[in-house]
Amino acid sequence: MFVRVLDAPPCVRMFSPVLEDVEADDRLLGRLNEPNAEIRFARFFVVEGRVIVAAEMFVAPFVAEHVTRACLEVGSLADEIGGTLQKEFGGEGRSRKRRKSRRCSSDVAHHDTRLSFRRPEPEFHGS
């Protein structure tokens, strides 16, 4: 799980790797559309062979309990849907990705224009 603090407007972005080493074919993208159509405030997408789950929320006014809850939800989504996706599409699951997480964080920030930053933001790690 990664958390980034953004400004203008003040937001927090939470994202977690779900699977690595998967092919972004029509079947996988169609499968990711299923949870995207049903869940609120989060989305699944593929970046360079990695399935990522991400959510953003406004933090003005800042309510620590809301941010904590959102982080827990993103982590739960990664665990719950990740296991199912791994059975269907293969790839490496979340537990093995933790060793590669810093690289994944950088790739997500720089390859998906929806997740690009104007300036480097502090990064907080949690489980």
Side-chain angles (χ1 to χ4, degrees):
M1 166 70 65
F2 299 91
V3 177
R4 295 209 173 156
V5 178
L6 310 172
D7 60 357
C11 294
V12 172
R13 174 176 297 134
M14 298 135 293
F15 57 98
S16 180
V18 177
L19 286 179
E20 285 192 14
D21 300 325
V22 294
E23 184 178 336
D25 58 15
D26 289 342
R27 191 170 140 253
L28 175 60
L29 297 176
R31 179 64 175 88
L32 294 179
N33 281 337
E34 293 172 20
N36 285 342
E38 295 189 19
I39 60 176
R40 297 176 66 190
F41 309 112
R43 62 194 180 276
F44 286 85
F45 54 92
V46 180
V47 176
E48 295 186 354
R50 293 181 188 101
V51 175
I52 307 291
V53 60
E56 295 178 356
M57 63 183 295
F58 293 110
V59 290
F62 180 77
V63 179
E65 185 177 320
H66 294 174
V67 175
T68 300
R69 177 69 180 177
C71 288
L72 291 171
E73 289 295 324
V74 169
S76 292
L77 285 168
D79 289 340
E80 292 168 17
I81 295 176
T84 301
L85 291 175
Q86 187 177 25
K87 288 176 187 172
E88 292 178 41
F89 299 96
E92 291 183 32
R94 188 171 182 220
S95 61
R96 294 207 47 205
K97 287 186 305 246
R98 288 182 183 149
R99 289 177 281 190
K100 300 177 186 178
S101 61
R102 187 167 301 279
R103 186 186 79 209
C104 181
S105 168
S106 174
D107 290 348
V108 169
H110 297 302
H111 289 94
D112 184 346
T113 58
R114 294 171 296 173
L115 298 177
S116 63
F117 305 109
R118 285 187 293 242
R119 62 182 173 83
E121 299 294 334
E123 185 168 302
F124 305 94
H125 297 277
S127 54

mmCIF file of all heavy atoms in Angstrom, residues 64-84:
data_model
loop_
_atom_site.group_PDB
_atom_site.id
_atom_site.type_symbol
_atom_site.label_atom_id
_atom_site.label_comp_id
_atom_site.label_asym_id
_atom_site.label_seq_id
_atom_site.Cartn_x
_atom_site.Cartn_y
_atom_site.Cartn_z
ATOM 1 N N ALA A 64 -8.633 11.979 10.064
ATOM 2 C CA ALA A 64 -7.729 10.828 10.061
ATOM 3 C C ALA A 64 -8.479 9.508 9.934
ATOM 4 O O ALA A 64 -8.035 8.598 9.230
ATOM 5 C CB ALA A 64 -6.871 10.832 11.317
ATOM 6 N N GLU A 65 -9.608 9.388 10.583
ATOM 7 C CA GLU A 65 -10.387 8.149 10.521
ATOM 8 C C GLU A 65 -10.844 7.842 9.097
ATOM 9 O O GLU A 65 -10.863 6.685 8.674
ATOM 10 C CB GLU A 65 -11.599 8.258 11.450
ATOM 11 C CG GLU A 65 -12.397 6.976 11.536
ATOM 12 C CD GLU A 65 -13.544 7.106 12.528
ATOM 13 O OE1 GLU A 65 -13.358 7.723 13.590
ATOM 14 O OE2 GLU A 65 -14.622 6.575 12.203
ATOM 15 N N HIS A 66 -11.181 8.855 8.324
ATOM 16 C CA HIS A 66 -11.606 8.642 6.937
ATOM 17 C C HIS A 66 -10.438 8.147 6.079
ATOM 18 O O HIS A 66 -10.621 7.248 5.248
ATOM 19 C CB HIS A 66 -12.169 9.930 6.343
ATOM 20 C CG HIS A 66 -13.444 10.365 6.993
ATOM 21 N ND1 HIS A 66 -14.040 11.562 6.686
ATOM 22 C CD2 HIS A 66 -14.230 9.792 7.927
ATOM 23 C CE1 HIS A 66 -15.136 11.695 7.402
ATOM 24 N NE2 HIS A 66 -15.263 10.632 8.170
ATOM 25 N N VAL A 67 -9.270 8.727 6.269
ATOM 26 C CA VAL A 67 -8.090 8.307 5.498
ATOM 27 C C VAL A 67 -7.712 6.878 5.878
ATOM 28 O O VAL A 67 -7.423 6.048 5.009
ATOM 29 C CB VAL A 67 -6.914 9.278 5.710
ATOM 30 C CG1 VAL A 67 -5.662 8.773 5.004
ATOM 31 C CG2 VAL A 67 -7.278 10.674 5.218
ATOM 32 N N THR A 68 -7.727 6.580 7.160
ATOM 33 C CA THR A 68 -7.414 5.228 7.622
ATOM 34 C C THR A 68 -8.377 4.217 7.013
ATOM 35 O O THR A 68 -7.964 3.172 6.502
ATOM 36 C CB THR A 68 -7.483 5.152 9.160
ATOM 37 O OG1 THR A 68 -6.535 6.074 9.699
ATOM 38 C CG2 THR A 68 -7.193 3.756 9.666
ATOM 39 N N ARG A 69 -9.648 4.533 7.040
ATOM 40 C CA ARG A 69 -10.672 3.632 6.489
ATOM 41 C C ARG A 69 -10.460 3.419 4.987
ATOM 42 O O ARG A 69 -10.562 2.299 4.484
ATOM 43 C CB ARG A 69 -12.069 4.211 6.757
ATOM 44 C CG ARG A 69 -13.194 3.423 6.197
ATOM 45 C CD ARG A 69 -13.363 2.122 6.906
ATOM 46 N NE ARG A 69 -14.488 1.419 6.308
ATOM 47 C CZ ARG A 69 -14.859 0.242 6.665
ATOM 48 N NH1 ARG A 69 -14.244 -0.377 7.624
ATOM 49 N NH2 ARG A 69 -15.859 -0.346 6.070
ATOM 50 N N ALA A 70 -10.153 4.482 4.271
ATOM 51 C CA ALA A 70 -9.919 4.370 2.828
ATOM 52 C C ALA A 70 -8.701 3.488 2.541
ATOM 53 O O ALA A 70 -8.735 2.658 1.622
ATOM 54 C CB ALA A 70 -9.746 5.759 2.216
ATOM 55 N N CYS A 71 -7.644 3.638 3.316
ATOM 56 C CA CYS A 71 -6.454 2.796 3.133
ATOM 57 C C CYS A 71 -6.786 1.326 3.366
ATOM 58 O O CYS A 71 -6.355 0.451 2.606
ATOM 59 C CB CYS A 71 -5.335 3.232 4.073
ATOM 60 S SG CYS A 71 -4.556 4.790 3.615
ATOM 61 N N LEU A 72 -7.545 1.061 4.414
ATOM 62 C CA LEU A 72 -7.944 -0.313 4.701
ATOM 63 C C LEU A 72 -8.796 -0.893 3.575
ATOM 64 O O LEU A 72 -8.653 -2.060 3.199
ATOM 65 C CB LEU A 72 -8.699 -0.385 6.030
ATOM 66 C CG LEU A 72 -7.850 -0.114 7.276
ATOM 67 C CD1 LEU A 72 -8.750 0.006 8.507
ATOM 68 C CD2 LEU A 72 -6.806 -1.201 7.464
ATOM 69 N N GLU A 73 -9.679 -0.073 3.011
ATOM 70 C CA GLU A 73 -10.533 -0.535 1.912
ATOM 71 C C GLU A 73 -9.711 -0.861 0.666
ATOM 72 O O GLU A 73 -9.953 -1.875 0.011
ATOM 73 C CB GLU A 73 -11.603 0.504 1.587
ATOM 74 C CG GLU A 73 -12.671 0.626 2.645
ATOM 75 C CD GLU A 73 -13.506 -0.636 2.804
ATOM 76 O OE1 GLU A 73 -13.774 -1.314 1.786
ATOM 77 O OE2 GLU A 73 -13.876 -0.945 3.945
ATOM 78 N N VAL A 74 -8.753 -0.006 0.326
ATOM 79 C CA VAL A 74 -7.915 -0.260 -0.852
ATOM 80 C C VAL A 74 -7.117 -1.548 -0.644
ATOM 81 O O VAL A 74 -7.028 -2.392 -1.539
ATOM 82 C CB VAL A 74 -6.991 0.943 -1.150
ATOM 83 C CG1 VAL A 74 -5.934 0.580 -2.193
ATOM 84 C CG2 VAL A 74 -7.815 2.127 -1.633
ATOM 85 N N GLY A 75 -6.545 -1.727 0.544
ATOM 86 C CA GLY A 75 -5.817 -2.958 0.835
ATOM 87 C C GLY A 75 -6.703 -4.183 0.765
ATOM 88 O O GLY A 75 -6.308 -5.232 0.234
ATOM 89 N N SER A 76 -7.915 -4.073 1.276
ATOM 90 C CA SER A 76 -8.865 -5.191 1.225
ATOM 91 C C SER A 76 -9.244 -5.532 -0.211
ATOM 92 O O SER A 76 -9.325 -6.710 -0.578
ATOM 93 C CB SER A 76 -10.127 -4.861 2.018
ATOM 94 O OG SER A 76 -9.843 -4.779 3.384
ATOM 95 N N LEU A 77 -9.472 -4.507 -1.027
ATOM 96 C CA LEU A 77 -9.790 -4.748 -2.434
ATOM 97 C C LEU A 77 -8.642 -5.468 -3.130
ATOM 98 O O LEU A 77 -8.857 -6.409 -3.910
ATOM 99 C CB LEU A 77 -10.097 -3.439 -3.155
ATOM 100 C CG LEU A 77 -11.446 -2.805 -2.872
ATOM 101 C CD1 LEU A 77 -11.485 -1.383 -3.424
ATOM 102 C CD2 LEU A 77 -12.571 -3.650 -3.469
ATOM 103 N N ALA A 78 -7.413 -5.026 -2.857
ATOM 104 C CA ALA A 78 -6.243 -5.670 -3.474
ATOM 105 C C ALA A 78 -6.168 -7.138 -3.079
ATOM 106 O O ALA A 78 -5.907 -8.007 -3.922
ATOM 107 C CB ALA A 78 -4.961 -4.937 -3.070
ATOM 108 N N ASP A 79 -6.407 -7.433 -1.805
ATOM 109 C CA ASP A 79 -6.349 -8.820 -1.337
ATOM 110 C C ASP A 79 -7.490 -9.659 -1.897
ATOM 111 O O ASP A 79 -7.268 -10.748 -2.420
ATOM 112 C CB ASP A 79 -6.402 -8.867 0.196
ATOM 113 C CG ASP A 79 -5.122 -8.359 0.835
ATOM 114 O OD1 ASP A 79 -4.078 -8.335 0.162
ATOM 115 O OD2 ASP A 79 -5.184 -7.981 2.025
ATOM 116 N N GLU A 80 -8.714 -9.162 -1.784
ATOM 117 C CA GLU A 80 -9.883 -9.933 -2.186
ATOM 118 C C GLU A 80 -9.919 -10.206 -3.683
ATOM 119 O O GLU A 80 -10.077 -11.341 -4.121
ATOM 120 C CB GLU A 80 -11.161 -9.201 -1.780
ATOM 121 C CG GLU A 80 -11.376 -9.125 -0.292
ATOM 122 C CD GLU A 80 -12.494 -8.157 0.087
ATOM 123 O OE1 GLU A 80 -13.305 -7.798 -0.789
ATOM 124 O OE2 GLU A 80 -12.535 -7.754 1.259
ATOM 125 N N ILE A 81 -9.806 -9.165 -4.462
ATOM 126 C CA ILE A 81 -9.917 -9.323 -5.914
ATOM 127 C C ILE A 81 -8.618 -9.856 -6.499
ATOM 128 O O ILE A 81 -8.621 -10.580 -7.484
ATOM 129 C CB ILE A 81 -10.370 -7.994 -6.555
ATOM 130 C CG1 ILE A 81 -11.783 -7.689 -6.057
ATOM 131 C CG2 ILE A 81 -10.324 -8.068 -8.077
ATOM 132 C CD1 ILE A 81 -12.360 -6.389 -6.510
ATOM 133 N N GLY A 82 -7.503 -9.542 -5.857
ATOM 134 C CA GLY A 82 -6.205 -10.019 -6.336
ATOM 135 C C GLY A 82 -6.110 -11.527 -6.391
ATOM 136 O O GLY A 82 -5.602 -12.092 -7.360
ATOM 137 N N GLY A 83 -6.597 -12.194 -5.349
ATOM 138 C CA GLY A 83 -6.547 -13.654 -5.341
ATOM 139 C C GLY A 83 -7.349 -14.264 -6.478
ATOM 140 O O GLY A 83 -6.903 -15.209 -7.145
ATOM 141 N N THR A 84 -8.521 -13.704 -6.715
ATOM 142 C CA THR A 84 -9.368 -14.187 -7.807
ATOM 143 C C THR A 84 -8.704 -13.936 -9.160
ATOM 144 O O THR A 84 -8.666 -14.819 -10.022
ATOM 145 C CB THR A 84 -10.742 -13.486 -7.767
ATOM 146 O OG1 THR A 84 -11.347 -13.754 -6.501
ATOM 147 C CG2 THR A 84 -11.639 -13.965 -8.880
#
